[in-house]
Amino acid sequence: MMKRVPVLALLLWICLLFYVGTWIFLSGFLLVKVEVNRNSSCKDKPFSKQDSSHTEHFCWSEPRFKRAVILIIDALQYDFARFDPEIKDPRPFQNKLGVLSEVVASRPAHARLYPFRADPPTTTMQRIKGFTTGSLPTFVDVCSNFGTNAIQEDNLIHQLGQNGKRVVFMGDDTWENLFPNQFHRSLPFPSFIVKDLHTVDNGILQHLCSTVESSDWDVVIAHFLGVDHCGHRYSPDHHAMADKLTQMDQVVRSVIERLQNDTLLVVLGEHGGDSQKETDAALFLFSPSALFTVGQEKALQEVVPQIDLVPTLAQLLGIPIPYSNIGKVMVELFALGSPEDGSAQERRQAEALWINANQVNRYLDTYSLANKDLSPMILAHLKDMFLLATTEYKTLFGGPLAGGPEHSSRVQALIATLQLYLNQVREMCQASWARFHPLRMAVGNAVLATACALCFITSDFADVVGASYRRLLWIPVVSGTVAGGGFALWQFSTGSEVEVLSSLGMAALVSQLSFFWNFCRRKATRVFVHQPSDLLNATADAAQQRPALTWPSIPLTIFFLRCASLFSDSYVVVEGRVVTFLLSTLAIYIPVQMNWAGRLLLPFEAQKSAPPCLPLQPSTPAASSSYKKESLTLLGCTGFLVASLYSSHFFHGCRDEQGNCKPSAFLTPLSGLRDIQLRNFRYLLSVSSVVAWVCLVRRWMRHYGNMNSKSPAVLVARCGLPLVATFVSLYWAMSSAPAEDFGNLQEVVRLALLVFPRAVYVLFGLGVAVVCWDPLTVFLKSRKEPAPSLLPPTYRASTGVSLQAELQHLIPHIYQRMRKSLRAGEREGAGREDDGQPTMEAYGLGTVYSAPLLLVLALLGLVLAMLHPEGLMLSFVLLLLQACAILHMHSAATSLSTPGSRAGCVSVSWAAVLMWGLAATQFFYSTGHLPTFPSIQWNSAFVGLSEVHAGHLAPALLVTLNTFSSQILFAVSCPLLLLWPLVCESTKAGKRGRRAGEGEDGEEAVMEMKLREDPDRFSTALLQLGARYLFIHGAQLLASVCSATILRRHLMVWKIFAPKFIFEASGFAVTSVCLLLGLALVMRVDSAVSDWFKRLIPAHSR
């Protein structure tokens, strides 16, 4: 009986080891800046009480403005805000916000436009946190962006409320989550519906002007999302972007008209990303009263860091600067008076900087006492600089006001010193807030490395491991659990905090060491005599000469070179093309290696190179013909695979580092195309691809007789699959244009955009449930035959084909017990001339395992394609053809390596598994994905979801399915590598002759029924395949972890290496889960086949 539970349990244990190692490494790698939970207050005066500069009507500084209007236009890049009159034919995003440049040109003392830069990597939550707290965001905040927990650090919103300011908010509901119960009045709108361009903006417009005209507010914050959503849905070059920017232009104009002299207007862009275009937004400042000193316009700074806005707004509004701020005030906003009164301007600027520096120094003192991650030497240097500035400030402004050129020059030097101090504080924090935990990182690396070694041993010694599940699985699991629990108990008994990660690390390492110890103890002698099961890389002569543990050198060398290349930022940037090259190289290597071994063009002598598990076979003309066909198949599939791999570059996206690279036009959704004819052509191409997807799968099932049965699974293939394809096509038709284009049918279209995807989800769920419940697609037929022509039981693989083709798919017997029982019945009735003998035909039995797996993959592929832009359906069809090419190459190579029967050698070569793993990575890039956060296709989060949904679980699941579609499809379909050579053997049996594979009774089970002849070997083959596939992806994860560890101080660590690690870790998690599901489906089919045989064979014949 097949060992189903032990195989899945062992692979699950290996996956858990990878998860634990990744989690431990994450806890020591990702930036974690400890938050200082203290708040500034008016009582914390940075000056002495005797200082005459303080009066009772302000807090830390005298407010220049009583009120402020802050308009946040999401994704307002600096290029969108500039107006260039020299552009004669502006693009949709150019020269649409003319009001900003008009006001700056006509009223230079009242308005300025700055580039507004955030510290990458950023997301919306990070950006909001940055320009409200004044603190640098950390990389770990990316993971919190979609949970948006409340901000605990001191911030502008808290300070405004604490000091009696009435804050009115309207717009993006992220603010409500970050600052709960802190607004005087709040009008939040759902922010995560990327396809919705108008709900948030229109909701703001209904209240903004009336609110500004009223007196029931001190600060108004309005966060618009239409520009950002338009960019995500259509791209900046769409006419909808021009409409949105024009609308924002009108909004700014209307607000400017309603402002009073004591009010400050701040218009800023908020965006998330890691490229300079996405970190450089626009910042526009305006006030009806003079804001800047006339005549000093050219002395303004060019780029404003986002955290500098925090101390600037705090001092302009007269509230304390948030406690954790490390930003620097924009000193040009504090130069009051005319240019002739230079001393007053300099004094005001020095005072603003002094208040700012005092607050930053206090924060550094507090932070350095609680945490030791800041450099003591740099802290001492900064402390000396601050003390010198303090002494100079008190000397200059502590007594009666002085004047003269010498005094002015000293004040200017003080201003420069304070600015230098604040700049160096920011640089120190940027460099030091990589709070790594070296021990945890080392333990994570160790756990991952030993997990990879365990995978390799399990794959190469699967028969050894499979024979000792108790010692090699249960003993390590129990010992690891005891060790982890004992370590946690020791921590508890000593009074220290129980660290879950430490206990898990101890459990993982002990369980791994226990496995290695038990393996070496029981099977050490077999290590030196073990023969690798990789028949693809064995040659006729080298098989007897090479050491037993020699690896398949070329494939694994290619693989380890790829892993080593993950240490190069240049490689990661162009990884999509490099993986294509490596996969093509490996594909070409296979026929070259076959030819070098003398197995490609002519059949080799069986006496010299037949594997020990196969009987010697003579070389015959029939065998030569079959050999020639296999060689042509191998060469043809290799050529097609290489051509299709390079054709897939048409679907690639582009990173910011790739310069002039242009992303694929197929990544643009149909709704983003302005040319109607092109849109229609693209839609027809997408629908044709859907039809091709369905027809290819159904034709394969029909060819092998899996469409004859009346089982529920066949009903899914006949009806469910076409229905899913139809609903997907209808959904694309409805989403191909904005709802406004449908006139009075807008509500119907919106309803259809919800109904069609949900119908796809329901049909997919029902289809998978039906296949799991009854996966067999076998049609059994019995009839009476005349006694003189008594026949043994036969099982046909297909119908509707010629007699010769039918003989090629003929299965003489399916199970030894059935054959013996029926033959016993034949002998009993042999003396009766009139009586008939039952002959049973089983259609589709030869593909009983692969048919349900392929059916589930067909349904899954359509669901995943629906989550992508419509044009990428062509890429999915290309994936199907590439996968078929790899499978046929693997089948042909296996056949050429083992001519004749392969009943005793069930194995998948390293080269085939490596090609499968590289294909998963290659297709990741062929669907426009990149290992960067801005490249995530957020539109998929709302396919079939309404504007109001509970939580973020469903959108997160849809985004995960979209991002890791390739890993999901290739992991679930991984068992096909084991099944496909047996399926393809059906076309070779007829040409090799019946005698070549006859058993002792003159009959031999063919195709996938061979797997049932030796359940233990079947279990071992599945274990080996799963372990090898996990090793391929686990080694890539380990390489990514090692690169992040070694290069953690690299300039590009947070832009390239950290995102690559996050995507690699997430991809491994998805791959491992889907691999287990694919293997579990095969085991479910095996269980159903066993039950089917029990029902088929009479009880008295068993």
Side-chain angles (χ1 to χ4, degrees):
M1 182 178 179
M2 184 180 182
K3 300 176 181 178
R4 304 184 187 101
V5 174
V7 170
L8 287 178
L10 181 57
L11 293 176
L12 177 60
W13 173 58
I14 294 174
C15 293
L16 291 176
L17 293 177
F18 277 105
Y19 300 158
V20 170
T22 304
W23 188 13
I24 294 174
F25 177 80
L26 272 173
S27 68
F29 173 70
L30 289 185
L31 296 186
V32 179
K33 176 176 66 68
V34 177
E35 295 181 350
V36 177
N37 293 322
R38 294 191 181 184
N39 299 324
S40 300
S41 69
C42 292
K43 298 178 181 179
D44 304 327
K45 293 186 178 182
F47 302 100
S48 63
K49 295 183 179 180
Q50 291 79 19
D51 197 318
S52 59
S53 64
H54 274 276
T55 58
E56 297 180 354
H57 69 274
F58 63 90
C59 184
W60 282 11
S61 59
E62 184 175 4
R64 285 195 61 186
F65 300 98
K66 294 182 179 180
R67 303 198 296 181
V69 177
I70 303 175
L71 303 182
I72 303 171
I73 303 177
D74 213 311
L76 181 63
Q77 300 179 17
Y78 186 68
D79 291 342
F80 294 3
R82 293 176 54 208
F83 186 89
D84 188 350
E86 296 182 0
I87 300 178
K88 303 303 180 183
D89 186 17
R91 298 165 68 180
F93 62 86
Q94 293 177 328
N95 293 355
K96 298 300 183 295
L97 270 170
V99 60
L100 305 183
S101 298
E102 290 176 12
V103 175
V104 170
S106 61
R107 306 173 71 178
H110 298 258
R112 288 291 184 274
L113 178 63
Y114 300 91
F116 189 51
R117 181 168 298 172
D119 293 282
T122 67
T123 57
T124 296
M125 190 275 286
Q126 280 180 295
R127 196 121 189 188
I128 295 176
K129 187 174 182 179
F131 62 67
T132 56
T133 65
S135 179
L136 293 175
T138 61
F139 189 85
V140 75
D141 288 333
V142 174
C143 305
S144 306
N145 182 59
F146 310 108
T148 56
N149 297 322
I151 293 177
Q152 302 299 324
E153 284 186 298
D154 194 12
N155 56 80
L156 283 176
I157 306 301
H158 172 78
Q159 288 297 335
L160 289 169
Q162 288 294 107
N163 290 277
K165 300 288 186 180
R166 297 163 297 177
V167 182
V168 177
F169 170 77
M170 54 189 74
D172 185 350
D173 60 356
T174 303
W175 288 75
E176 190 70 24
N177 299 324
L178 294 175
F179 308 103
N181 305 318
Q182 295 192 38
F183 297 114
H184 175 68
R185 191 167 69 251
S186 177
L187 298 170
F189 299 94
S191 61
F192 215 45
I193 311 298
V194 180
K195 292 187 176 182
D196 184 2
L197 273 62
H198 307 295
T199 299
V200 176
D201 293 1
N202 291 341
I204 296 174
L205 294 178
Q206 291 177 2
H207 303 89
L208 179 60
C209 292
S210 59
T211 301
V212 173
E213 291 175 346
S214 68
S215 59
D216 187 26
W217 62 276
D218 294 300
V219 177
V220 173
I221 302 175
H223 192 156
F224 294 89
L225 294 176
V227 174
D228 180 51
H229 288 185
C230 183
H232 282 295
R233 182 175 183 182
Y234 299 119
S235 81
D237 278 320
H238 195 270
H239 65 87
M241 179 62 75
D243 297 339
K244 266 297 162 189
L245 291 175
T246 302
Q247 183 186 42
M248 293 299 101
D249 182 84
Q250 296 298 324
V251 170
V252 175
R253 291 180 187 274
S254 61
V255 171
I256 288 177
E257 293 174 356
R258 292 170 170 78
L259 292 181
Q260 299 179 5
N261 290 335
D262 61 351
T263 306
L264 172 68
L265 172 64
V266 181
V267 180
L268 59 95
E270 187 283 315
H271 201 275
D274 56 8
S275 65
Q276 184 169 336
K277 284 187 176 180
E278 293 184 298
T279 57
D280 280 3
L283 173 64
F284 174 75
L285 301 177
F286 170 81
S287 176
S289 58
L291 191 58
F292 303 93
T293 301
V294 179
Q296 295 186 358
E297 296 85 357
K298 295 183 180 180
L300 304 180
Q301 62 191 84
E302 294 183 357
V303 178
V304 177
Q306 68 167 0
I307 60 175
D308 289 1
L309 186 62
V310 175
T312 303
L313 287 179
Q315 295 205 46
L316 290 176
L317 295 174
I319 60 175
I321 301 174
Y323 197 96
S324 300
N325 167 75
I326 59 171
K328 178 184 65 177
V329 293
M330 302 167 62
V331 292
E332 61 269 21
L333 293 170
F334 297 88
L336 299 178
S338 63
E340 292 77 13
D341 190 7
S343 59
Q345 295 179 6
E346 292 169 351
R347 176 182 174 84
R348 190 68 182 90
Q349 289 179 334
E351 180 182 347
L353 285 169
W354 167 249
I355 294 174
N356 190 182
N358 236 320
Q359 169 267 317
V360 170
N361 176 70
R362 179 186 63 176
Y363 170 70
L364 289 181
D365 289 343
T366 305
Y367 188 89
S368 60
L369 291 175
N371 306 280
K372 305 302 181 182
D373 51 353
L374 298 178
S375 171
M377 294 182 61
I378 300 179
L379 277 176
H381 168 71
L382 291 174
K383 192 68 175 179
D384 292 341
M385 184 184 296
F386 176 76
L387 291 177
L388 290 175
T390 300
T391 303
E392 181 70 3
Y393 183 86
K394 291 182 177 180
T395 301
L396 293 174
F397 302 110
L401 297 179
E406 181 181 355
H407 182 271
S408 177
S409 62
R410 291 180 64 183
V411 172
Q412 292 177 5
L414 174 63
I415 292 175
T417 300
L418 292 172
Q419 288 179 317
L420 179 62
Y421 168 78
L422 292 171
N423 288 334
Q424 290 188 0
V425 168
R426 184 173 184 270
E427 292 173 359
M428 177 193 65
C429 292
Q430 283 180 319
S432 301
W433 278 340
R435 191 170 173 267
F436 302 114
H437 196 297
L439 178 60
R440 289 186 178 179
M441 295 173 68
V443 172
N445 276 273
V447 173
L448 290 173
T450 50
C452 287
L454 193 152
C455 261
F456 183 81
I457 291 177
T458 302
S459 66
D460 216 43
F461 297 90
D463 54 341
V464 179
V465 177
S468 308
Y469 282 113
R470 186 177 65 86
R471 287 187 174 273
L472 298 180
L473 173 61
W474 306 122
I475 291 180
V477 169
V478 171
S479 60
T481 303
V482 171
F487 187 74
L489 185 61
W490 175 79
Q491 288 180 314
F492 178 77
S493 61
T494 57
S496 58
E497 182 182 357
V498 177
E499 295 184 0
V500 177
L501 281 177
S502 300
S503 301
L504 288 176
M506 177 65 71
L509 290 175
V510 170
S511 65
Q512 289 171 325
L513 293 175
S514 176
F515 173 89
F516 294 133
W517 184 78
N518 281 278
F519 175 80
C520 295
R521 182 185 178 188
R522 289 180 56 85
K523 302 298 179 182
T525 58
R526 298 188 58 173
V527 173
F528 300 99
V529 298
H530 174 70
Q531 296 293 331
S533 56
D534 195 341
L535 301 175
L536 179 60
N537 297 278
T539 63
D541 297 326
Q544 300 175 357
Q545 302 174 2
R546 70 178 184 179
L549 283 179
T550 299
W551 295 353
S553 55
I554 303 260
L556 287 183
T557 298
I558 293 175
F559 173 63
F560 286 120
L561 284 176
R562 158 171 164 70
C563 293
S565 299
L566 290 174
F567 289 80
S568 168
D569 55 341
S570 301
Y571 168 82
V572 176
V573 169
V574 295
E575 184 183 23
R577 295 184 177 273
V578 176
V579 170
T580 300
F581 170 77
L582 293 176
L583 185 53
S584 302
T585 303
L586 187 57
I588 295 173
Y589 155 77
I590 293 177
V592 171
Q593 191 271 345
M594 286 291 174
N595 186 58
W596 182 266
R599 301 179 179 182
L600 182 63
L601 300 180
L602 294 174
F604 63 95
E605 297 179 15
Q607 289 81 0
K608 293 184 178 181
S609 57
C613 59
L614 296 179
L616 300 181
Q617 303 297 339
S619 179
T620 64
S624 299
S625 175
S626 175
Y627 216 91
K628 181 178 180 181
K629 179 180 179 181
E630 296 300 332
S631 300
L632 293 176
T633 299
L634 179 59
L635 293 174
C637 290
T638 300
F640 174 80
L641 178 61
V642 173
S644 61
L645 286 174
Y646 283 95
S647 299
S648 66
H649 288 176
F650 289 109
F651 305 98
H652 280 207
C654 292
R655 295 181 62 120
D656 181 65
E657 299 89 348
Q658 291 179 275
N660 296 326
C661 173
K662 293 184 179 180
S664 171
F666 290 97
L667 296 175
T668 303
L670 295 181
S671 57
L673 300 178
R674 303 178 65 178
D675 190 334
I676 297 180
Q677 292 184 348
L678 178 60
R679 184 191 304 174
N680 293 337
F681 173 76
R682 283 271 303 276
Y683 176 74
L684 291 177
L685 187 62
S686 301
V687 173
S688 300
S689 301
V690 171
V691 173
W693 178 277
V694 174
C695 290
L696 287 173
V697 174
R698 283 167 55 94
R699 180 177 177 80
W700 184 92
M701 296 183 66
R702 184 178 293 107
H703 175 72
Y704 287 104
N706 298 108
M707 297 290 287
N708 298 307
S709 174
K710 296 181 180 179
S711 66
V714 175
L715 182 63
V716 171
R718 289 177 177 173
C719 303
L721 194 58
L723 275 177
V724 170
T726 301
F727 285 127
V728 169
S729 301
L730 290 175
Y731 168 73
W732 285 341
M734 294 295 100
S735 63
S736 61
E740 295 79 7
D741 294 353
F742 291 92
N744 297 330
L745 299 177
Q746 291 186 27
E747 293 301 324
V748 177
V749 172
R750 289 192 178 95
L751 181 61
L753 291 176
L754 296 178
V755 171
F756 290 147
R758 292 181 180 182
V760 172
Y761 299 148
V762 171
L763 288 174
F764 170 74
L766 290 176
V768 173
V770 166
V771 172
C772 293
W773 172 55
D774 186 6
L776 296 186
T777 57
V778 179
F779 174 59
L780 187 64
K781 181 180 179 182
S782 63
R783 61 184 181 183
K784 294 284 186 176
E785 294 289 349
S789 59
L790 293 176
L791 297 176
T794 59
Y795 304 91
R796 298 172 57 185
S798 62
T799 57
V801 295
S802 64
L803 179 61
Q804 182 180 1
E806 193 168 288
L807 289 175
Q808 294 176 7
H809 297 293
L810 190 66
I811 302 179
H813 71 278
I814 55 176
Y815 202 70
Q816 295 297 334
R817 292 184 180 180
M818 175 185 285
R819 183 182 64 179
K820 292 178 180 179
S821 65
L822 290 173
R823 284 192 172 182
E826 178 182 348
R827 288 193 296 269
E828 292 176 2
R832 293 177 292 179
E833 294 289 327
D834 299 334
D835 201 359
Q837 182 67 24
T839 298
M840 288 184 290
E841 295 174 335
Y843 298 87
L845 195 59
T847 52
V848 66
Y849 293 100
S850 54
L853 183 59
L854 195 62
L855 178 57
V856 169
L857 286 169
L859 292 170
L860 181 60
L862 289 176
V863 174
L864 297 177
M866 183 181 66
L867 300 177
H868 287 76
E870 302 85 346
L872 291 180
M873 185 64 216
L874 190 60
S875 178
F876 275 80
V877 175
L878 198 60
L879 167 137
L880 180 63
L881 298 177
Q882 289 177 7
C884 290
I886 295 175
L887 291 172
H888 280 287
M889 288 179 62
H890 167 52
S891 175
T894 306
S895 178
L896 293 173
S897 299
T898 58
S901 173
R902 293 191 298 271
C905 292
V906 180
S907 177
V908 181
S909 67
W910 274 110
V913 178
L914 178 56
M915 289 179 65
W916 206 251
L918 290 179
T921 303
Q922 190 271 339
F923 186 70
F924 172 81
Y925 289 94
S926 296
T927 48
H929 295 293
L930 297 167
T932 61
F933 293 105
S935 67
I936 296 176
Q937 299 174 6
W938 298 112
N939 288 341
S940 60
F942 305 100
V943 177
L945 296 182
S946 60
E947 297 181 0
V948 180
H949 57 273
H952 298 292
L953 180 61
L957 176 61
L958 294 179
V959 171
T960 301
L961 293 175
N962 168 276
T963 304
F964 300 105
S965 296
S966 60
Q967 287 87 343
I968 293 171
L969 289 174
F970 279 95
V972 174
S973 61
C974 191
L976 290 177
L977 290 172
L978 178 64
L979 303 173
W980 206 262
L982 300 174
V983 173
C984 293
E985 192 180 46
S986 64
T987 61
K988 308 158 193 172
K991 293 190 177 183
R992 289 177 181 162
R994 299 293 303 166
R995 293 185 177 275
E998 288 181 354
E1000 57 178 307
D1001 296 313
E1003 296 171 357
E1004 181 193 9
V1006 297
M1007 300 177 69
E1008 294 175 357
M1009 291 312 299
K1010 284 182 179 179
L1011 298 172
R1012 292 197 53 82
E1013 292 185 342
D1014 192 344
D1016 288 337
R1017 178 159 293 186
F1018 190 12
S1019 304
T1020 300
L1022 288 176
L1023 175 62
Q1024 182 189 66
L1025 176 61
R1028 287 188 173 181
Y1029 199 69
L1030 287 176
F1031 174 80
I1032 294 297
H1033 289 277
Q1036 294 179 94
L1037 173 60
L1038 175 62
S1040 181
V1041 166
C1042 290
S1043 67
T1045 302
I1046 296 173
L1047 303 173
R1048 61 185 181 274
R1049 298 295 182 183
H1050 192 278
L1051 180 64
M1052 306 300 288
V1053 62
W1054 302 117
K1055 187 174 180 63
I1056 294 180
F1057 294 108
K1060 175 60 179 174
F1061 158 66
I1062 295 296
F1063 276 80
E1064 202 70 54
S1066 303
F1068 177 84
V1070 173
T1071 295
S1072 57
V1073 171
C1074 293
L1075 175 65
L1076 293 177
L1077 293 177
L1079 295 176
L1081 178 58
V1082 172
M1083 296 177 181
R1084 172 67 187 100
V1085 176
D1086 183 77
S1087 176
V1089 172
S1090 299
D1091 295 338
W1092 183 72
F1093 277 126
K1094 292 178 181 178
R1095 294 193 305 267
L1096 191 62
I1097 302 176
H1100 62 82
S1101 301
R1102 298 175 188 171

